[in-house]
Each structure stands twice: as C-alpha cells, then as structure tokens.
Amino acid sequence: MEELINELKKEIIEVLNLEGMTPEDIDENAPLFGEGLGLDSIDALELIVLMEKNYGIKLANAAEGREIFKSVRVMAEYVKEHRTK
Amino acid sequence: MKNIQPKILSYSRLTNQQLILNGETLLSNKELSPNDWLSNIYKYIKMDYPKFFKMDRLSKAGILASEIAMNHLAQNSSEVKDNWAICCFNHAASLDDDLAYQKTIEPDNFYPSPSVFVYTLANIVTGEIAIKYKIKGETSFYVSEQFSPTLYIESVQNIFNDSPDIDYIMGGWVEYLENHCDVLMMIVARECDGSSLDLNEENLKKLI
C-alpha cells in the first residue's frame, strides 16, 4: 500500500503541475480539495483522467469522485480494489 | 472621435533569449529550455502566484511580461482596477494548446486533458491577466498576421474613446507557439505628464 501511495503522489504532482512539491510534502491523510493541497475543479477532472489512464478505473459521476479523492490514502485503497491495469 | 495621445508608461519584451524592461535587458538566456526559462523568470522576479504553474505557456508568458511592466509602475496588484482594460494581439491564437490537446485525443490514446482543454482559446491569457491584477474593464484579444502598430494604436484609441472610465490599457503582442516566445506587453495611459513615450507607430516599431 505504501508503494502505491507514493506512486500516486508522484503522478498527482506530475499531472497537476504542483511545481516544487515532492511526494514527502503531501500528507496522504490530508484532504486533497479545499484545505490540504487546495486543488480545484479542473484538477478533479484531471484526477479522473489519471484514474482511467493509469489504472483502468472509470468513474461514473462526480459524487463518486468526491468520496474517492478525499485523500491520497483513500484514493490508493480504491485503486488497489478496483484497478484493471 | 476625440483625438487623444496615449502614452506608454512601461513596457516589457520577452523572447526565448531575452527579458527586457523599458529598453533595459534584465535577463538573457542561452541554455535554458523554453519551459525552464519561463520558470527562471518567475523566480527571478520573486513572483508568488502558484496558479502560474498550472497555466499554459501563452498565459505564463503574458503574465510574466505583465508582472514586470506592472512592477515597474509600483502598482498594487491586489487593488481592484476599474479603470483598466486589456487589449492583446497575436498570430497563432491558441494553436500551441490546440496541438497539445490534440495529442491527448489520439484514437489509440484517448484521454482528453481537462487542464489543457481550458486553455484552447486565445483570449484565456487576457482573462488570466485580468484575474491576476483585478482588472475590471473590458478585455479584448485579436488575431492578426503580425504585430501592426497601426492596428494596435487604433484599438487603443477605440477603447479610450468608447470607454471614458478607462484610463489605462495593458496589452500588446502575446505569441507562443511550439517553443517560440514573442511578447511585447505595454501599459498605456490615456494621458500622463512627464517624459513617457508617445504611443505612435515610430515608437512601436522600435519596441517590437
């Protein structure tokens, strides 16, 4: 799980252009939106693309994303359970 | 139409090789990649605007050039500017982003990127500048074959004549295509005392 969390952190930094940020800077238990990393709605869409492109997970609706993107750890747990690649 | 003589209060010039403020070279570049060059300028001017890193390169170039011209005037960037407008031109529109977006929608690799898509309009750069400096007047973006001093002066005159509340216009030429950067960003005043440059064809030809 820790390996997957680290992998996700690196991918998030890359696809969301979080300049100057390292995986160590991201608290895997902190909220991704609002406080925490302070991501916006376009970032949410980019994370949905990341899930499909890298892990073969298609999210059907925004409400589902809201639950899954609570934190990097929640994301990792969902990926572990649902990934198809 | 009222005949006014606008003045250039400040201007910046940004290419892959140079960053110039009011005729003075601030930075030169020989080795850095176009992306690293823009990031280097961001650090050089000590800008603190994390959203910068999420922008497309056209907006990055436009924002950096605006920041440099604005800093020179010691304007408070967080103050609402009801009497400012924006007017920019370029040739390639948003083609740099259109090409990047196209790569995300190839039939065998179809993952459309939302963050690239939102920049596939040329006038997004004027919106980014308006947001950054809280410019509330009209924003306009035109596409032309090349920078035309005649057309630019006419556009500025039209804004000042049509909008009596506008006293300043940020704008000029903002081009970014396939690693080629070419920006001339000016702050033009409806009127001003002192030794500022006249906004005329002769001066614009020298600046570009």
Side-chain angles (χ1 to χ4, degrees), chain A residues 16-17 19 43 45-46 53, chain B residues 53-54 111-115 118:
Chain A
L16 303 186
N17 294 316
E19 179 86 5
D43 294 323
L45 294 173
E46 207 61 66
K53 189 175 180 179
Chain B
F53 294 104
K54 291 178 179 289
Y111 296 103
S113 169
S115 59
V118 294

Side-chain angles (χ1 to χ4, degrees), chain B residues 10-25:
Chain B
S10 171
Y11 72 91
S12 61
R13 191 82 176 85
L14 173 58
T15 65
N16 284 354
Q17 290 78 37
Q18 280 193 312
L19 172 65
I20 295 169
L21 171 64
N22 298 331
E24 182 190 346
T25 301

Side-chain angles (χ1 to χ4, degrees), chain B residues 89-92 142-152 172-173 175 182 208:
Chain B
F89 282 74
N90 82 0
H91 172 58
Y142 302 99
V143 176
S144 64
E145 186 65 33
Q146 58 192 14
F147 181 69
S148 161
T150 312
L151 198 54
Y152 194 72
W173 183 255
E175 180 81 307
D182 185 15
I208 198 74

Side-chain angles (χ1 to χ4, degrees), chain A residues 42-73:
Chain A
I42 298 296
D43 294 323
L45 294 173
E46 207 61 66
L47 289 181
I48 289 172
V49 174
L50 183 156
M51 295 287 269
E52 184 176 349
K53 189 175 180 179
N54 296 2
Y55 302 103
I57 297 171
K58 282 192 179 185
L59 299 182
N61 57 59
E64 203 178 359
R66 205 173 297 141
E67 286 301 309
I68 297 162
F69 300 144
K70 268 184 176 168
S71 69
V72 175
R73 182 170 290 281

